[in-house]
């Protein structure tokens, strides 16, 4: 049997909805683990990426840590995939892009109704926010994109099985949508 | 009868018809966004670009059909050009489909799906564009405007001239003809053609969003070529 493909996944400025949708492949995950080995992923809790065949990135980049993680994935993954609306165009987090960052923080942590002990979080452990949220292809080269908010389980399944079988991945009309 | 050919298919035309009109009458889909059969062609979106035998590109919505024209339309090369044009429209505005009332019924999406557009390809502009929610019945979200000029043409045709396009480049925007520049002070009403013709979610009559559930929206299972030739569209 051919060596298993190695697959890594992460969520940057996303909501984990794409990961949840991935898990909607349900019992097909038993077939998948026969064919791929999971590396860094919230599903394995492995913290750093080792050389992989496929990296799935959910979410855009909204802070310095996102940029760091994304570069780690690009350096290690042969095929890097933008998964979901946020990875592709920044998505809903990017709707803050028309508002100055300071105003966003003040509204959330200082002026918002019901706030106790108002202060803008400033712990050195926290990654610094970028002025704007960006899609991941503006930071690293991306090989494929899977649209959808989230892409359905069938999209993940079709894409991964195409790659595993050595086909050029393609999605039919019914699998391509932006919402 | 006089005819042209499109991708080898014979397409008859009547004197004065555009390539687009002849194609539509013959059941041949040429992608388009700013074309509407009821209004004077605008020729701005370039989606309907087709190639003549001598290699010249023309816009099918503005060019008259001429005897013997041999036209390429549904080719890989042209569809790639169309996809790039569509991607430019997506990065030029702020199209967050999951949060848009028009999603599923939007012609811009429909064309993008038709072209199997998987990403935006270009860097996002994140242009700053205003939203006008002042009108009790109509919403104008300029983030989603693609400057197709259809609302401008429709409003002109009904004698109100509520809209115009102003500015250049990233500052280009739809302006409203009223003292305050706001929709509420304009003559626009929800039953105006101009309020209902937008191919995207930029101009919306309020209270109509999300009526069709996911799966039953216009472009959920039907390619825009089928919808358009069937005489329906998302405008
Ligand atoms: S107007 Fe169309 S393309 Fe733009 S956000 Fe709305 S549904 Fe998406
Ligand atoms: S508001 Fe709609 S109809 Fe008017 S120019 Fe913009 S996209 Fe076209
Ligand atoms: S449809 Fe012809 S240029 Fe827009």
């Amino acid at each position: 049997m051919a060596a298993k493909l190695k697959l890594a996944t992460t969520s940057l400025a996303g909501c984990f909805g794409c990961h949840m949708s991935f898990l909607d492949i349900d019992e097909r995950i038993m077939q998948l683990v026969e064919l791929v080995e999971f590396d860094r992923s919230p599903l394995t809790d492995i913290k750093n990426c080792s050389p992989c065949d496929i990296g799935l990135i959910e979410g855009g980049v909204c802070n310095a840590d996102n940029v760091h993680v994304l570069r780690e994935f690009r350096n290690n993954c042969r095929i890097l995939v933008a998964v979901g609306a946020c990875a592709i165009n920044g998505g809903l987090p990017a709707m803050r892009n028309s508002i100055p960052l300071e105003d966003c923080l003040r509204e959330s942590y200082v002026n918002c109704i019901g706030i106790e002990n108002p202060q803008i979080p400033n712990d050195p452990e926290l990654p610094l926010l970028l002025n704007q949220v960006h899609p991941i292809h503006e930071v690293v080269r991306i090989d494929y994109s899977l649209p959808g908010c989230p892409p359905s389980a069938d999209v993940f399944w079709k894409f991964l099985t195409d790659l595993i079988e050595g086909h050029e991945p393609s999605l039919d009309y019914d699998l391509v949508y932006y919402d | 009868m006089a005819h042209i050919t499109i991708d080898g298919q014979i397409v008859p035309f009547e004197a004065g018809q555009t390539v687009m009109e002849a194609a539509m009458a013959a059941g041949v889909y040429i992608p388009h966004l700013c074309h509407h059969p009821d209004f004077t062609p605008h020729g701005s979106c370039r989606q309907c670009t087709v190639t003549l035998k001598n290699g010249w590109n023309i816009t099918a919505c503005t060019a008259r059909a001429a005897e013997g024209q041999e036209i390429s339309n549904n080719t890989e090369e042209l569809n790639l050009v169309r996809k790039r044009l569509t991607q430019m429209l997506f990065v030029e505005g702020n199209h967050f489909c999951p949060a848009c009332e028009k999603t599923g019924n939007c012609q811009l999406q429909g064309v993008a799906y038709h072209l199997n557009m998987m990403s935006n390809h270009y860097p996002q502009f994140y242009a700053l564009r205003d939203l006008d929610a002042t009108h009790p019945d109509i919403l104008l979200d300029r983030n989603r405007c693609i400057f197709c000029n259809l609302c401008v043409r429709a409003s002109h045709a009904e004698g109100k001239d509520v809209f115009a396009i102003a500015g250049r480049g990233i500052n280009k925007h739809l302006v409203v003809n009223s003292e305050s520049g706001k929709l509420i002070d304009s003559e626009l009403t929800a039953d105006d053609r101009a309020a209902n013709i937008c191919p995207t979610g930029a101009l919306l009559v309020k209270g109509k969003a999300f009526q069709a559930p996911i799966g039953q929206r216009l472009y959920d299972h039907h390619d825009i070529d089928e919808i358009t030739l069937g005489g329906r569209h998302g405008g």
Side-chain angles (χ1 to χ4, degrees):
Chain A
M1 202 185 109
K4 283 185 176 182
L5 292 181
K6 277 179 89 175
L7 174 68
T9 78
T10 192
S11 178
L12 306 176
C15 68
F16 276 91
C18 294
H19 275 79
M20 298 307 290
S21 184
F22 182 23
L23 290 178
D24 282 339
I25 62 173
D26 295 333
E27 72 281 2
R28 287 176 287 183
I29 200 159
M30 303 307 288
Q31 266 171 276
L32 190 65
V33 293
E34 295 294 318
L35 301 166
V36 305
E37 181 189 333
F38 280 89
D39 192 79
R40 175 177 176 161
S41 167
L43 308 178
T44 58
D45 218 19
I46 296 172
K47 303 294 186 205
N48 285 98
C49 205
S50 54
C52 281
D53 297 288
I54 307 167
L56 302 180
I57 311 281
E58 165 187 340
V61 289
C62 77
N63 64 35
D65 183 60
N66 291 158
V67 177
H68 176 78
V69 172
L70 179 58
R71 291 202 170 125
E72 178 184 307
F73 269 72
R74 181 67 278 181
N75 288 338
N76 283 286
C77 300
R78 196 162 54 84
I79 298 168
L80 199 63
V81 189
V83 176
C86 302
I88 290 172
N89 69 10
L92 299 201
M95 291 181 90
R96 80 156 156 93
N97 286 358
S98 59
I99 304 165
L101 180 56
E102 194 179 334
D103 293 358
C104 289
L105 289 168
R106 281 199 186 288
E107 183 60 29
S108 305
Y109 295 104
V110 180
N111 300 331
C112 183
I113 301 164
I115 294 273
E116 286 175 27
N117 184 19
Q119 55 176 313
I120 292 179
N122 196 22
D123 192 293
E125 287 277 306
L126 293 173
L128 283 176
L129 291 176
L130 306 181
N131 272 346
Q132 289 196 317
V133 179
H134 290 273
I136 62 174
H137 75 274
E138 291 182 17
V139 180
V140 296
R141 179 174 52 82
I142 294 299
D143 300 294
Y144 296 99
S145 300
L146 302 178
C149 184
S152 68
D154 287 339
V155 169
F156 284 94
W157 184 250
K158 176 69 167 57
F159 178 77
L160 290 173
T161 50
D162 275 354
L163 274 186
I164 291 164
E165 288 164 14
H167 304 152
E168 181 62 24
S170 71
L171 298 178
D172 289 341
Y173 186 91
D174 276 355
L175 290 180
V176 178
Y177 52 85
Y178 304 154
D179 56 4
Chain B
M1 193 177 178
H3 71 269
I4 58 176
T5 64
I6 301 182
D7 297 329
Q9 182 182 333
I10 291 179
V11 171
F13 70 92
E14 285 161 23
Q17 268 187 326
T18 60
V19 171
M20 178 69 79
E21 285 165 339
M24 293 278 276
V28 174
Y29 175 70
I30 301 175
H32 55 265
L33 284 167
C34 69
H35 165 79
H36 191 292
D38 297 348
F39 298 101
T40 320
H42 191 242
S44 57
C45 76
R46 317 316 274 181
Q47 205 46 247
C48 67
T49 301
V50 293
T51 310
L52 297 174
K53 202 182 171 196
N54 64 7
W56 288 13
N57 285 335
I58 56 169
T59 42
C61 69
T62 57
R64 292 218 193 287
E67 179 62 33
Q69 268 170 345
E70 292 175 39
I71 288 171
S72 304
N73 167 40
N74 191 17
T75 65
E76 209 174 301
E77 193 182 335
L78 280 170
N79 285 333
L80 178 61
V81 170
R82 291 170 182 146
K83 179 155 78 181
R84 292 289 180 247
L85 289 168
T86 308
Q87 286 165 322
M88 287 182 203
L89 290 176
F90 269 83
V91 300
E92 182 187 49
N94 296 301
H95 295 274
F96 300 111
C97 299
C100 179
E101 297 83 348
K102 190 79 168 191
T103 188
N105 301 306
C106 167
Q107 279 186 56
L108 179 61
Q109 266 184 344
V111 164
Y113 294 164
H114 176 79
L115 298 167
N116 204 235
M117 186 183 112
M118 307 295 280
S119 76
N120 288 1
H121 185 76
Y122 298 107
Q124 293 286 143
F125 284 23
Y126 296 127
L128 293 175
R129 298 210 191 151
D130 279 343
L131 183 143
D132 181 344
T134 57
H135 197 291
D137 307 317
I138 303 154
L139 174 75
L140 169 59
D141 185 347
R142 292 186 177 86
N143 291 295
R144 305 162 182 164
C145 177
I146 57 170
F147 310 113
C148 71
N149 201 259
L150 274 168
C151 59
V152 179
R153 283 176 277 167
S155 190
H156 181 72
E158 54 206 352
K160 290 193 179 177
D161 280 315
V162 171
F163 297 109
I165 292 170
R168 293 243 161 231
I170 201 165
N171 297 317
K172 185 159 141 183
H173 63 291
L174 192 72
V175 285
V176 173
N177 179 8
S178 71
E179 193 102 345
S180 61
K182 299 287 182 200
L183 270 186
I184 191 169
D185 298 318
S186 76
E187 287 178 48
L188 192 70
T189 53
D191 53 359
D192 280 0
R193 193 88 197 272
N196 294 279
I197 201 158
C198 184
T200 74
L203 256 180
L204 293 163
V205 174
K206 292 181 184 176
K208 287 188 171 180
F210 308 119
Q211 280 179 344
I214 292 174
Q216 289 173 32
R217 302 169 307 177
L218 215 45
Y219 305 113
D220 279 339
H221 300 296
H222 300 279
D223 195 305
I224 193 166
D225 55 3
E226 197 187 314
I227 299 285
T228 305
L229 294 171
R232 298 157 68 207
H233 62 77

